[in-house]
Structures are given as C-alpha cells and as structure tokens.
Amino acid sequence: MSDDFRVLDEYLDDAYAAQERLSSADLQRGAVAAGLPASALTRIDALPEGEYAQDEAAEALRTLD
C-alpha cells in the first residue's frame, strides 16, 4: 500500500501544480489520464463528492478503507 501512497502523492503534486482546489471528479479524470495503477484509481474513485485542497485530498485518500 505504501507504493500506492507514493504514486498518489506524486499525482497530487502534479494535479495541484496550478490549482488551489479540485473536485473529486477532476481528480478521477486526471488519474485516469495519468495512467495511475488500478489500486490507486480505486482509492481516488472512493473519494466522496466535493472539492479538495491538496492536503485535504491526501488525508482523505489515506483514511479510505
């Protein structure tokens, strides 16, 4: 699972490079376009609907079961 978190952290760094907040749908579309592994996509798909700052998204992804 730690590899997933590394991949997710790198993805979030790229996704939020020029953005302050992104919706869960934006994060999902970006993750698919970035070709993230299925296990990372599953975590992103499980994010509740809404907008997230980068730190909020990272924390939410870590707390998902």
Side-chain angles (χ1 to χ4, degrees), residues 5 9 12 16 52-63:
F5 292 134
D9 285 341
L12 291 176
Y16 282 94
Y52 297 86
Q54 184 173 353
D55 61 334
E56 294 168 339
E59 180 65 25
L61 290 167
R62 281 180 167 66
T63 59

Side-chain angles (χ1 to χ4, degrees), residues 12-33:
L12 291 176
D13 286 343
D14 290 341
Y16 282 94
Q19 301 292 324
E20 187 172 319
R21 298 185 72 76
L22 291 170
S23 70
S24 54
D26 290 334
L27 291 169
Q28 291 166 353
R29 284 190 294 274
V32 170

Side-chain angles (χ1 to χ4, degrees), residues 41-62:
L41 289 174
T42 300
R43 292 189 83 74
I44 291 174
D45 287 344
L47 277 174
E49 192 173 317
E51 286 194 350
Y52 297 86
Q54 184 173 353
D55 61 334
E56 294 168 339
E59 180 65 25
L61 290 167
R62 281 180 167 66

Side-chain angles (χ1 to χ4, degrees), residues 1-13 37 39-40 43 57-65:
M1 197 59 78
S2 63
D3 282 343
D4 281 346
F5 292 134
R6 181 185 51 76
V7 167
L8 288 168
D9 285 341
E10 290 173 3
Y11 166 66
L12 291 176
D13 286 343
S39 56
R43 292 189 83 74
E59 180 65 25
L61 290 167
R62 281 180 167 66
T63 59
L64 292 171
D65 287 332

